[in-house]
Every structure is written in C-alpha cells, then in structure tokens.
Amino acid sequence: MVDRGASGPLLSLRGVTKHYPVTRSIFGRQSGVIRAVDGIDLSLQRSETLGLVGESGCGKSTLGRVILRLEEPTSGEILFDGRDLSTLSRRELHHMRRRMQVVFQDPYSSLNPRLSVGRTIGEGLVIHRMGSAADRRERVRELMDLVGLHPEDVHRYPHEFSGGQRQRIGIARALALNPELVICDEPLSALDVSIQAQIINLLQDLQEQFQLTYLFISHDLSVVRHISDRVAVMYLGRLVELAPARELFEKPGHPYTQTLLSAVPSLDPTAPRSSRKRGRAPSGSVKSPAGCNFHDRCFDRSSECEDRVPPLKEIGPHHWVRCFREGLC
C-alpha cells in the first residue's frame, strides 16, 4: 500500500539532460548535438501542481517523456519517492510505472481506434494483472462514471466520441492504476475553450479526491496560472525561472518570462499596452548559444551573458531565476 502522506518530494530531478545527435552526412557522421533538456534540477511536492511552460521546442514534452523513461536520459538522476529510476531493472520499472501515468496532448491519436472504450481504459489493469475479469469490468465502469462518461457506453469506440469525451477517456485510463504522479502533456491544446474549462475542473476535482501530483505541461499561460501551485519556465532546454504561480505572474524576474507574459493578449480594450520590454523573436537555430541561452534575444544583456551560463539564484522566497541582472524584482 502506497503512503501518500509520506514526507519529502515525490519527484526530484538532478542534472537531467537529454541530447540528440545531429548527423549531416550519408555516412551518419555526427556533426552536432541538440540539447533538448540541458541540466534540469527540479522537484515536485506531493499533491501539488507544477506548471511547466515555454515556447514550442523548448523541451517541455521531452522532459515529461524522460521522467517516465519513455525516453532514456543522457545523464542525471530521476528520483521517484527516493528511488533512482535509472537504476531500476525492467521488472522494477514495470511495477513503478503503476504509480506514474500520463495524459497525452491529442485525444484523437492517443486512443487506439480498434479498441473499445472499456478495453482502452482497462488495458493497464490487464497488463499489470490487477483483479479478476469481473473486477476489471467494474473498475472500468467506475472510472467512466468518475470522469463524467456514461458507463453504458463501455462498448463504443473512440470515433463515436467528441474531443472532450476522448480526453476524459484518456484521463480515466491514466487513473485506472491509482497513480500518484500524472504528467499532463498539453492536455487542453486540441480542445475548444468551453471544453477546456470542463477538463480543468475535472482535473482539479480528481486531484483533491485522490491526492494526485500533477506536472502540467502547457504553453497556455492563463490555464497554467489558474491550475498551478508553482510554475517552472523553460527556454532551450534549461530552467530559467521557478516560482509560486502568483509571484511569477505578478513579478516575473527573467527577461524571457517577461517576454512570454507581454505576449499574452488582454480582453480589456481599455487596458494599457504592457510596459514590459519584449525580447526579439527566436532565430530558429537548433543550436544553443554560448553563455546564457537567451542572451541573443534579451533586451538587457551584458557581455557577461555571452560568456557564462548564469546559475539559478533565489531572488525571493521560493523564487529562483537564472540571470546575472541585479534587482530583478
């Protein structure tokens, strides 16, 4: 039996990297490397929601897959409840994965069109040999009711459901094994705004009911602000800012975070234009620049930024920023 009241962080990342080789010749000779995840140090407390934001291509989803070991990290430690996942045997990892699940971005491609809803939700129960066939059928019906689906639709197929209903199926599948950690990989981006609100409310209700821990990956800052306890900002594979959600949105410290927030449109036509300065648009290069990753776009860079990688420093209670500037807040 898992003790969800245990002390200490549920998940800790220490210097986690994921690099992909770049080959540019017919002989497959390596000419470079893409640093998709570049030295991430992060922790998730039990029953909290950590929002992970950044532009497309910054490494958010890659980090989520590395945590689940759907992709192997290049280096670093991933500690889940104090155990390093990289040292587990195949059998031990198979057992550990019952405690970690994922809700994917696309509710259409993430479901097997050849499997009924009942088989989709109950697939994990079969793989992990949990309960009898009758127990699994009952569990599937309970899960469908829990996420707002009709249990009598258990024999229907994914193409017979709307996008929002399919995402509910994906959430039910993730909850089937009673996990502790759920990685939500942009679970709202393919849904209409009205449906997004329903899914957010569902995720929050489930978290409260089952004491779930969420890593919520998204590029939608308004959603992240609403659902998150803390927010981590990634840029080109590195963590550039980490703070409580309210603190980050009211007093962003890193120039990149300020750039992201200045790009959020306002629905109030009388609201003044953001006074925050914006960084330049990205150059499109797959290579990380020397020094601070953001220095070639920064509105307040110095020569030091071009030569050295700034360390994460605490500029306020639980507010960390990777920047050389003084008086960030």
Side-chain angles (χ1 to χ4, degrees):
M1 185 70 177
V2 176
D3 180 10
R4 301 206 174 191
S7 60
L10 178 64
L11 180 72
S12 296
L13 309 181
R14 300 176 181 174
V16 174
T17 67
K18 178 60 180 178
H19 298 167
Y20 297 97
V22 177
T23 56
R24 296 187 182 275
S25 71
I26 59 174
F27 302 105
R29 186 173 303 165
Q30 183 172 332
S31 60
V33 65
I34 298 177
R35 301 176 182 272
V37 177
D38 195 15
I40 296 294
D41 295 301
L42 195 60
S43 65
L44 272 76
Q45 302 301 318
R46 299 170 192 272
S47 302
E48 83 161 333
T49 299
L50 177 66
L52 184 60
V53 302
E55 295 168 329
S56 297
C58 72
K60 307 185 301 295
S61 295
T62 300
L63 180 60
R65 293 194 296 270
V66 166
I67 291 172
L68 295 168
R69 276 192 63 185
L70 299 177
E71 296 196 33
E72 293 298 325
T74 303
S75 63
E77 293 182 335
I78 303 172
L79 304 177
F80 184 83
D81 200 14
R83 299 192 66 186
D84 188 352
L85 298 183
S86 63
T87 65
L88 300 183
S89 66
R90 185 173 181 178
R91 182 171 183 173
E92 289 173 328
L93 182 62
H94 175 78
H95 180 74
M96 186 68 76
R97 278 181 170 155
R98 290 172 52 178
R99 303 171 63 184
M100 304 179 293
Q101 292 295 309
V102 60
V103 178
F104 293 100
Q105 175 178 356
D106 189 350
Y108 296 91
S109 63
S110 64
L111 301 179
N112 189 334
R114 297 186 178 184
L115 295 184
S116 67
V117 170
R119 289 186 61 190
T120 296
I121 297 174
E123 188 174 19
L125 300 172
V126 174
I127 292 173
H128 290 274
R129 301 177 182 178
M130 298 179 65
S132 64
D135 292 336
R136 291 194 290 267
R137 286 194 296 269
E138 181 62 26
R139 174 65 171 162
V140 167
R141 291 180 178 274
E142 289 177 357
L143 288 165
M144 291 185 67
D145 183 62
L146 183 67
V147 300
L149 296 172
H150 297 295
E152 57 267 23
D153 291 337
V154 68
H155 298 297
R156 295 174 63 187
Y157 286 83
H159 71 272
E160 302 178 71
F161 293 87
S162 66
Q165 289 173 322
R166 292 188 193 194
Q167 198 59 290
R168 291 175 185 268
I169 295 169
I171 294 171
R173 176 177 60 184
L175 294 179
L177 299 175
N178 194 28
E180 297 165 76
L181 171 67
V182 178
I183 295 181
C184 302
D185 187 6
E186 304 212 36
L188 309 177
S189 61
L191 306 178
D192 294 336
V193 174
S194 59
I195 304 301
Q196 289 181 8
Q198 297 176 19
I199 298 300
I200 291 173
N201 291 335
L202 174 62
L203 289 172
Q204 290 180 315
D205 291 342
L206 293 172
Q207 181 178 41
E208 182 177 353
Q209 185 173 351
F210 298 107
Q211 292 82 53
L212 298 171
T213 302
Y214 289 146
L215 176 61
F216 193 88
I217 301 170
S218 180
H219 62 271
D220 190 328
L221 296 176
S222 60
V223 170
V224 169
R225 182 174 190 171
H226 175 74
I227 199 172
S228 302
D229 299 304
R230 292 186 300 148
V231 178
V233 183
M234 279 186 72
Y235 181 72
L236 290 184
R238 290 179 187 159
L239 195 68
V240 297
E241 188 160 2
L242 174 65
R246 182 174 180 179
E247 174 81 8
L248 184 133
F249 281 89
E250 292 182 355
K251 297 180 179 180
H254 197 278
Y256 176 60
T257 309
Q258 296 175 15
T259 298
L260 286 179
L261 296 181
S262 70
V264 177
S266 172
L267 297 178
D268 183 2
T270 64
R273 294 177 62 88
S274 174
S275 60
R276 299 192 185 105
K277 299 179 181 179
R278 293 194 184 192
R280 295 187 291 110
S283 62
S285 172
V286 297
K287 295 183 179 180
S288 299
C292 174
N293 278 359
F294 192 65
H295 83 260
D296 59 345
R297 296 176 59 186
C298 186
F299 52 77
D300 195 20
R301 63 180 179 269
S302 65
S303 58
E304 185 179 25
C305 303
E306 302 177 15
D307 300 326
R308 296 196 300 121
V309 177
L312 275 172
K313 62 181 179 181
E314 192 170 16
I315 64 172
H318 310 294
H319 191 163
W320 298 81
V321 176
R322 189 183 298 277
C323 189
F324 287 123
R325 295 185 308 154
E326 298 293 336
L328 291 173
C329 287

